[in-house]
């Protein structure tokens, strides 16, 4: 098999992107105003406690609905002026939110549940964001590497975004699902943006890449997939969400409800890829060609306790937590009607 045939082709990436958008439409519709929530603009009573709010967010593709809501005036129709503040990573954004710098923050669920378990703060999940979809978060390797199957990962050096992050959890859970002993592998912390270069330079044997870095690595150096993390026990795993402190939620119930209604509508609109693809180069800092072919996570807005409980269960299973967390107590339920 030639290196060219092993690498992801542009046609293959386009096919994956289209397939994921369809899957996202199904999941997104089940979590938004299409099934029971309000879709009409300004469905509240027109008053919020805090009309100007700051949302901490990373420049990643699963935040497309958030940016769409700002761009299309959906937040304003709900009485909110939302300032998106770019952060370096989810943990840093969460720390800033706990400290009062941001009102609501985007992050993977791992730091939310870790902070809650340690008693760092009383946190609430305001809205869901993204769940795993095929070919959106994948363990990749370089064409010159001897790693080709999940079994080859045993004893190898694997790049993750950081210790005790969602990326480490996904790699270890994927390896275990394939019956691979991860205890002998070395996990090296490298920012996602630097992982393609680390693969190409041979500094690591494999790396867990998410979009758009996954597509960039495939296009630039012919990086090839080893294992899709959206398989088996990890299929449709909730990955990211929006959170706030319990105090902010208690003090600003109408503001939170307005944010939830806006995200319901934005997620519903985001199922039409043509509405969000033009925004990706602007906030995710990728070129138009990459934006046209990347696979997208499943966009969600309504947090479901049963689905979310899978995350802390996995975290405890892999030693990220030392006690159970009842996710249902953390979720802020949207107002009915």
């Amino acid at each position: 098999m030639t290196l060219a045939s092993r690498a992801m082709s542009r046609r293959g990436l386009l096919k994956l992107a289209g397939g994921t958008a369809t899957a996202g439409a199904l999941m997104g519709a089940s979590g938004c105003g299409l099934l029971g929530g309000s879709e009409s603009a300004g469905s509240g009573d027109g008053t919020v406690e805090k009309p100007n709010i700051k949302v901490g967010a990373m420049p990643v593709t699963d935040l497309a609905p958030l940016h769409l809501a700002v761009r299309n005036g959906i937040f304003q129709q709900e009485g909110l002026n939302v300032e998106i503040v770019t952060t370096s990573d989810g943990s840093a954004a969460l720390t800033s939110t706990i400290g009062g710098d941001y009102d609501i923050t985007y992050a993977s669920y791992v730091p939310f549940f870790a902070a809650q378990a340690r008693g760092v703060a009383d946190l609430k999940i305001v809205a869901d964001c993204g769940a795993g979809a095929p070919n959106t978060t994948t363990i990749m390797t370089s064409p010159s590497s001897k790693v080709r199957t999940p079994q080859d990962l045993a004893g190898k050096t694997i790049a993750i975004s950081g210790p005790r992050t969602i990326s480490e959890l996904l790699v270890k859970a994927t390896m275990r699902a394939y019956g691979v002993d991860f205890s002998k592998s070395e996990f090296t912390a490298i920012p996602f943006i630097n992982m393609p270069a680390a693969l190409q330079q041979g500094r690591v044997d494999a790396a867990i890449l998410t979009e758009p870095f996954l597509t960039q690595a495939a296009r630039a150096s012919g990086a090839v997939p080893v294992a899709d993390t959206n398989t088996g026990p990890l299929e449709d795993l909730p990955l990211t969400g929006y959170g706030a402190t319990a105090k902010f939620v208690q003090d600003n119930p109408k503001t939170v409800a307005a944010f939830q209604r806006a995200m319901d509508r934005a997620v519903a609109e985001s199922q039409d890829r043509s509405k969000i693809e033009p925004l990706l180069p602007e906030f995710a800092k990728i070129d138009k060609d990459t934006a046209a072919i990347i696979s997208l996570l499943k966009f969600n807005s309504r947090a479901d306790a049963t689905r979310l409980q899978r995350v802390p269960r996995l975290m405890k299973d892999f030693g990220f937590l030392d006690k159970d967390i009842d996710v249902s107590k953390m979720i802020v339920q949207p107002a009915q009607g």
Side-chain angles (χ1 to χ4, degrees):
M1 182 181 292
T2 65
L3 296 182
S5 63
R6 286 199 298 260
M8 284 187 179
S9 67
R10 179 179 174 84
R11 179 179 298 177
L13 287 167
L14 280 168
K15 181 178 180 181
L16 291 176
T20 302
T22 301
L26 294 175
M27 178 55 65
S30 68
C32 66
L34 296 178
L35 295 179
S38 173
E39 290 186 79
S40 59
S43 56
D45 61 6
T47 60
V48 294
E49 301 87 358
K50 190 172 185 180
N52 300 311
I53 63 173
K54 291 184 178 181
V55 177
M58 296 167 60
V60 291
T61 57
D62 45 328
L63 286 173
L66 178 70
H67 288 270
L68 182 73
V70 171
R71 177 66 61 87
N72 289 3
I74 297 175
F75 282 124
Q76 289 186 331
Q77 292 167 14
E78 294 291 351
L80 296 177
N81 295 309
V82 172
E83 177 186 356
I84 300 176
V85 183
T86 301
T87 63
S88 58
D89 61 73
S91 295
L94 182 57
T95 299
S96 295
T97 301
I98 293 173
D101 294 330
Y102 309 143
D103 301 300
I104 295 173
T105 193
Y106 157 93
S108 83
Y109 283 117
V110 168
F112 278 128
F113 297 141
Q116 187 78 4
R118 294 197 307 268
V120 174
D122 188 5
L123 300 172
K124 299 295 182 182
I125 305 300
V126 173
D128 198 8
C129 181
N135 306 292
T136 56
T137 306
T138 303
I139 301 174
M140 305 282 284
T141 190
S142 68
S144 60
S145 171
K146 295 182 179 180
V147 174
R148 282 296 174 268
T149 69
Q151 287 70 30
D152 295 333
L153 293 170
K156 298 298 191 296
T157 300
I158 306 170
I160 57 174
S161 62
R164 297 196 173 253
T165 58
I166 186 66
S167 63
E168 181 182 352
L169 186 64
L170 289 175
V171 171
K172 289 183 174 180
T174 299
M175 291 176 70
R176 187 178 71 173
Y178 281 100
V180 182
D181 182 6
F182 56 79
S183 65
K184 298 179 181 179
S185 297
E186 180 181 349
F187 298 93
T188 301
I190 298 176
F192 282 123
I193 194 171
N194 296 332
M195 287 187 189
L199 281 176
Q200 189 173 15
Q201 296 165 7
R203 290 188 283 124
V204 294
D205 299 303
I208 179 169
L209 287 164
T210 187
E211 292 288 24
F213 311 109
L214 191 160
T215 294
Q216 290 172 341
R219 296 179 68 198
S221 61
V224 293
V226 177
D228 186 344
T229 63
N230 186 60
T231 57
L234 301 179
E235 184 175 356
D236 193 33
L237 184 73
L239 300 177
T240 58
Y242 298 94
T245 63
K247 185 179 187 306
F248 178 82
V249 172
Q250 182 177 356
D251 293 346
N252 303 279
K254 293 182 180 179
T255 302
V256 171
F259 181 87
Q260 290 176 322
R261 289 193 301 270
M263 291 309 301
D264 280 351
R265 294 175 54 207
V267 165
E269 290 189 20
S270 296
Q271 306 313 319
D272 181 351
R273 186 175 177 123
S274 67
K275 292 185 177 182
I276 59 173
E277 190 175 300
L279 302 179
L280 298 179
E282 180 180 331
F283 75 85
K285 308 304 180 185
I286 57 178
D287 60 84
K288 292 182 179 180
D289 289 340
T290 300
I293 62 177
I294 61 171
S295 299
L296 298 173
L297 292 175
K298 295 179 181 178
F299 299 134
N300 299 309
S301 59
R302 296 292 177 94
D304 178 80
T306 300
R307 293 179 61 249
L308 283 188
Q309 194 67 52
R310 297 169 61 194
V311 180
R313 190 179 300 123
L314 272 174
M315 292 175 66
K316 186 180 179 185
D317 202 17
F318 285 90
F320 286 40
L321 297 178
D322 57 9
K323 66 179 181 180
D324 294 319
I325 292 179
D326 185 354
V327 171
S328 65
K329 295 181 179 179
M330 295 180 64
I331 296 175
V332 180
Q333 296 296 339
Q336 298 297 316

